[in-house]
Amino acid sequence: MKRITFLLIIFVAGFGVMAQSNYKVDPAHASVNFKVKHSGITFVQGRFDKFDGAIIGSPGQLESARVFFNVSVESINTGIPMRDDHLRSADFFEVTQFPTMSFESTGIEKVEDGKYKLHGKLQIKDVTKDTTFDVVYGGTVKGQDGSEVIGFTAKNKINRLDYNVAFDPDGAGIGKDVHITLFLEFKNN
């Protein structure tokens, strides 16, 4: 009886893993963007050009999916090379010591149809904190190669000082709040 119970548990666990799908971010159809207030009067925008990520789960059951994301901090791009070099320095991201930012989900909460709260751990430099992204599910389509493609927009606002990105700590020239917007397409593998 114990052997049958053990085999049944293995079968159910194996079927559950097989029923899940893996989706990998399509960098050609995705972007990781941010904006920060400058001198209190306007915003400076930028993006990170190198990143990867994955969703393990089903678009029909997003609440039970897991999300992983990594960003190469050195790929920061504000369109001004001198500013980008400064952002890579010890004043901001210290890319030689901390080359990657990462996010790992801890839960997904459905707010209403097509809208979710993505809870997880965001690691920037030597700090990992709980954070929540507001996510809008854009839908599912078939890609040109026949694969399933799912789309999302995710937004968040963090205080950069919480992550030891502490240049201009008073926020007089560079705002403390960083507004993050991700436009993401994931392809089924």
Side-chain angles (χ1 to χ4, degrees):
M1 184 65 170
K2 287 182 182 180
R3 183 180 165 124
I4 292 173
T5 303
F6 176 73
L7 290 174
L8 184 59
I9 289 170
I10 295 296
F11 174 76
V12 169
F15 183 74
V17 169
M18 289 173 34
Q20 288 187 346
S21 297
N22 292 328
Y23 294 83
K24 188 167 173 38
V25 73
D26 179 1
H29 298 103
S31 62
V32 176
N33 312 282
F34 64 90
K35 67 179 184 179
V36 178
K37 203 137 205 185
H38 181 256
S39 297
I41 58 172
T42 190
F43 286 90
V44 169
Q45 297 185 95
R47 67 180 188 269
F48 293 93
D49 291 331
K50 294 181 183 174
F51 50 87
D52 62 36
I55 298 173
I56 300 171
S58 166
Q61 298 174 343
L62 287 175
E63 296 93 327
S64 59
R66 293 181 305 167
V67 178
F68 305 92
F69 213 81
N70 296 298
V71 174
S72 168
V73 182
E74 187 165 344
S75 73
I76 196 164
N77 184 346
T78 65
I80 308 293
M82 189 181 335
R83 177 172 49 213
D84 295 343
D85 288 342
H86 190 201
L87 291 168
R88 291 181 189 107
S89 77
D91 284 343
F92 290 93
F93 287 110
E94 296 182 79
V95 298
T96 54
Q97 189 172 352
F98 306 106
T100 306
M101 291 188 289
S102 65
F103 176 84
E104 183 175 342
S105 67
T106 56
I108 301 174
E109 171 189 357
K110 185 174 184 175
V111 177
E112 59 184 70
D113 282 346
K115 294 186 178 181
Y116 298 85
K117 297 280 188 188
L118 174 61
H119 305 286
K121 303 276 186 190
L122 177 63
Q123 174 262 318
I124 300 174
K125 293 178 71 170
D126 57 346
V127 178
T128 301
K129 296 185 78 61
D130 291 327
T131 193
T132 300
F133 284 84
D134 293 317
V135 176
V136 176
Y137 172 56
T140 304
V141 298
K142 287 287 181 197
Q144 290 181 341
D145 62 359
S147 64
E148 189 174 52
V149 179
I150 55 177
F152 299 93
T153 301
K155 294 183 178 185
N156 192 351
K157 180 176 76 172
I158 62 169
N159 183 326
R160 64 182 175 84
L161 301 179
D162 292 344
Y163 294 91
N164 292 334
V165 181
F167 184 80
D168 187 15
D170 295 330
I174 302 166
K176 297 175 187 178
D177 291 334
V178 179
H179 302 263
I180 303 166
T181 304
L182 298 93
F183 302 106
L184 303 169
E185 286 188 14
F186 291 85
K187 291 177 80 171
N188 187 299
N189 293 345

